[in-house]
Amino acid sequence: MATLLGIKLGMGNTMGDKTVLVARRIYTMDARRPVATHLAHQNGRILAIGGAEECPKDARIDTRFADSFLIPGFVEGHSHFMEGRAWSYLYLGFFDRQGPDGRVHPGLKTKAAVLVALAHAAATTEGAVIGAWAFDPIYLSGTRLTLKDLDGISRTLPVIVTHASGHIITVNSVVLTKMGITAASDLDGMLRQDDGQISGELTGPDLINRAQRVVGESAFSQGLDVSDIRSFASIARRAGVTTAADLFSDMSDKTVTAYRQAAEDNTIPLRMVPALGALLYPGAKALERLREVESFSHEKLYFGAVKLILDGSIQGFTARLRWPGYHNGAPNGLWYVAPSQLEEIVERLHAAGVQLHIHTNGDEATELAVNVLGRVLAHHPRPDHRHTLQHCQLADPALFRRIAALGLCCNLFSNHIFYWGDQHVEKTLGLARAKRMNAARTALDHGIALALHSDAPVTPLAPLFTAWCAVERLTASGRVLGAEEAIGVEEALRAVTLGAAYTLHLDHAVGSLEVGKFADMAVLDSDPFSGPAADLWKVGVRGTVFSGQYFAADAP
């Protein structure tokens, strides 16, 4: 039994205790044996699966799931544990959203409602910062928060509003003063209004990280504690997620300690896969830090990956697009890594055996990543590297052919179709390109290893909804956007279980229900395969089984 910090970790049942779970139906995601009714587990792992005859006769029988459907615990291959912290701050999103405690926070449909919520937060806060998140002006007919608006909220406390994408923030004058920014400043990523006045919006990692540092705290600042992870795990449990990536970790001592504490805690049913944020570790420091923490890996905690971010967000107009650029004529977005420097970074990490997760929202960014990876793989062939393009939202068939030839994986952002599909048609891309966003059908037809993700907290952590988005491709207004790129229910559910596990190098341990793997399952109240595909998002999650132990969705 593994230990961390001198504390023994008891995973699942005690040694020798065999239990057989009986369910209405068990979907295994194992192509050789796709359906079962009985699953035996011992010491947190699957001992046998099939019918009653496959299971040990001396096992305890557990029939609590006799009217439920079991499926492998969902694997979220692209999320951020900072969502656990975000709910300590003000939610300004357009859509209703459920928090870690199960309470639904209503969406705000107008700028006036946003300002009222901020004013109330300012009047009631006892903290040193007024923080808010999930604001997105593209939902509000382009109505933006300004420096003047936030100065009206407070001229004494810092106000920092993080946009839904996480790639833009709006701040008040207090924050700008702390940053040393004046009207005369001329900085990349500092936006101005049409009249030349500072808008209060800051884009790009340099200015955003700088603002967060001088403020000292915000919903999206780095440095997790175990309560943040516990909060995230509560959301995950309600969604049926048992394994999740924290796909841009600062890997600070504080954060690594939080991961290790969460791994020790058997009341936190979550396997964690942090990826070190390369932007925070220039030069050789990323690899040095990764080697320092790898020894802490454990059956609930897996180090070894690095995240690179090449561009921003499409809906925030900071992604890098190929010709013809943005539909509304906005200038092209930002490079988060200088193209001239990318190959050196990728080569160093790839040659050291590191797995890379590369954020590429726009097709120009995807093309750059493919070009660089192609050259690096030619010089340093490495079987089974599983480098993964994250988001990869605008890849066309030619790019997918090259992605397949290089053995790259894709983790597509299918939730984007619902949450921003209408805006992409009208404002960012136009109908033709919007119809081929997150082209899961094309990816699968080219034999690419596919995952689907939420990018929580950018969109809610809800794998059944994410799968539904890839199947139905409906926008928030009900428009079918690119029906030819739709995939089937089984393909979509595989992409949020075994497919996602593959992109995290964990398909040997999770993602399907097979003998020897962890006994991690999502407990569903209806059959996701037999009902109408249009109702996939309505399937209820009763809880999760983690290493054989049941955690109810509605538990505190």
Side-chain angles (χ1 to χ4, degrees):
M1 193 70 69
T3 61
L4 277 179
L5 302 181
I7 300 176
K8 191 172 183 180
L9 292 167
M11 302 300 299
N13 296 328
T14 58
M15 184 66 72
D17 185 13
K18 304 173 187 176
T19 300
V20 173
L21 305 182
V22 180
R24 192 167 172 185
R25 184 162 293 183
I26 302 171
Y27 291 105
T28 68
M29 293 298 163
D30 176 3
R32 297 164 302 174
R33 182 172 297 191
V35 179
T37 55
H38 293 64
L39 181 149
H41 62 85
Q42 182 182 31
N43 302 325
R45 293 182 180 268
I46 298 171
L47 181 64
I49 188 166
E53 63 276 14
E54 276 92 0
C55 294
K57 306 305 179 187
D58 59 343
R60 181 178 68 87
I61 305 299
D62 185 344
T63 61
R64 78 177 92 181
F65 307 125
D67 65 343
S68 299
F69 298 83
L70 301 181
I71 193 169
F74 295 121
V75 178
E76 177 50 82
H78 188 146
S79 58
H80 303 277
F81 291 1
M82 67 180 73
E83 167 144 1
R85 172 182 297 155
W87 289 102
S88 300
Y89 296 85
L90 178 64
Y91 174 68
L92 296 178
F94 184 78
F95 295 91
D96 295 355
R97 187 151 170 179
Q98 188 178 52
D101 60 358
R103 182 167 70 92
V104 174
H105 298 249
L108 304 178
K109 307 301 185 184
T110 65
K111 179 180 175 180
V114 168
L115 290 174
V116 167
L118 283 167
H120 181 263
T124 57
T125 185
E126 296 180 358
V129 177
I130 301 166
W133 62 289
F135 174 71
D136 197 334
I138 205 168
Y139 293 134
L140 307 179
S141 300
T143 303
R144 312 188 81 83
L145 289 177
T146 66
L147 184 69
K148 182 178 179 181
D149 291 328
L150 297 192
D151 282 347
I153 299 301
S154 180
R155 287 188 172 274
T156 58
L157 291 178
V159 181
I160 182 167
V161 175
T162 303
H163 291 218
S165 68
H167 291 275
I168 304 174
I169 61 175
T170 307
V171 301
N172 68 346
S173 294
V174 177
V175 177
L176 294 181
T177 299
K178 286 177 174 288
M179 295 174 69
I181 292 176
T182 69
S185 298
D186 183 17
L187 302 171
D188 289 340
M190 187 187 76
L191 304 186
R192 293 183 181 271
Q193 300 173 157
D194 292 340
D195 61 5
Q197 298 298 308
I198 294 175
S199 70
E201 287 190 355
L202 304 176
T203 68
D206 292 339
L207 285 183
I208 291 174
N209 290 339
R210 183 173 157 191
Q212 291 172 342
R213 285 195 302 271
V214 301
V215 166
E217 62 172 318
S218 81
F220 286 74
S221 62
Q222 300 295 317
L224 296 171
D225 60 39
V226 72
S227 64
D228 299 328
I229 299 176
R230 183 182 298 279
S231 181
F232 179 91
S234 178
I235 298 169
R237 184 185 71 237
R238 295 174 187 277
V241 172
T242 55
T243 299
D246 187 15
L247 215 65
F248 189 85
S249 173
D250 70 347
M251 294 292 182
S252 64
D253 289 345
K254 176 184 177 183
T255 297
V256 172
T257 296
Y259 292 141
R260 298 177 69 189
Q261 289 173 339
E264 294 171 4
D265 191 334
N266 291 337
T267 67
I268 298 179
L270 186 69
R271 301 192 198 282
M272 300 166 284
V273 190
L276 181 144
L279 284 173
L280 305 175
Y281 291 87
K285 292 183 179 179
L287 186 57
E288 291 172 6
R289 182 55 176 162
L290 196 64
R291 296 299 184 235
E292 289 172 355
V293 301
E294 280 179 327
S295 63
F296 301 135
S297 290
H298 168 269
E299 63 185 22
K300 282 180 64 181
L301 179 58
Y302 300 87
F303 292 105
V306 168
K307 169 79 171 292
L308 290 168
I309 303 178
L310 300 194
D311 65 344
S313 73
I314 300 171
Q315 74 276 21
F317 300 96
T318 55
R320 294 290 304 193
L321 305 187
R322 297 190 299 195
W323 187 88
Y326 284 100
H327 185 58
N328 70 349
N332 211 346
L334 305 174
W335 287 117
Y336 280 27
V337 177
S340 60
Q341 298 174 354
L342 180 62
E343 190 159 342
E344 178 187 353
I345 297 169
V346 169
E347 186 167 29
R348 179 188 301 114
L349 294 169
H350 169 82
V354 173
Q355 186 196 14
L356 299 174
H357 294 274
I358 305 178
H359 163 124
T360 69
N361 258 318
D363 47 3
E364 186 180 21
T366 299
E367 186 173 54
L368 173 66
V370 171
N371 289 342
V372 167
L373 284 164
R375 291 192 294 269
V376 169
L377 284 164
H379 291 133
H380 304 278
R382 195 176 110 205
D384 201 28
H385 54 76
R386 303 194 200 182
H387 297 321
T388 301
L389 300 180
Q390 296 286 343
H391 305 326
C392 193
Q393 295 204 73
L394 289 176
D396 59 12
L399 274 173
F400 276 123
R401 282 191 287 273
R402 296 180 63 195
I403 289 166
L406 294 173
L408 305 176
C409 309
C410 285
N411 192 351
L412 301 182
F413 198 173
S414 60
N415 283 16
H416 239 268
I417 297 163
F418 177 84
Y419 283 106
W420 287 284
D422 294 316
Q423 287 75 19
H424 290 316
V425 170
E426 301 300 327
K427 299 176 182 178
T428 67
L429 301 170
L431 181 59
R433 282 183 294 168
K435 288 174 72 174
R436 66 171 170 83
M437 290 188 75
N438 298 289
R441 179 76 276 147
T442 298
L444 286 177
D445 286 350
H446 282 83
I448 294 167
L450 177 69
L452 303 171
H453 68 271
S454 69
D455 198 12
V458 176
T459 69
L461 183 67
L464 287 165
F465 176 83
T466 298
W468 171 85
C469 286
V471 171
E472 294 294 298
R473 293 186 67 90
L474 284 177
T475 70
S477 70
R479 180 205 306 251
V480 177
L481 191 60
E484 63 276 8
E485 290 295 348
I487 60 176
V489 169
E490 192 276 336
E491 292 170 314
L493 290 175
R494 180 173 295 274
V496 294
T497 51
L498 191 59
Y502 182 88
T503 68
L504 299 178
H505 268 292
L506 285 179
D507 54 310
H508 65 287
V510 299
S512 62
L513 301 177
E514 303 176 60
V515 173
K517 289 191 173 185
F518 290 117
D520 294 353
M521 289 155 268
V523 183
L524 309 180
D525 64 8
S526 59
D527 191 332
F529 288 94
S530 68
D535 291 341
L536 181 59
W537 69 277
K538 298 179 183 178
V539 173
V541 176
R542 292 180 173 173
T544 60
V545 176
F546 186 81
S547 286
Q549 182 179 354
Y550 180 52
F551 294 83
D554 58 359

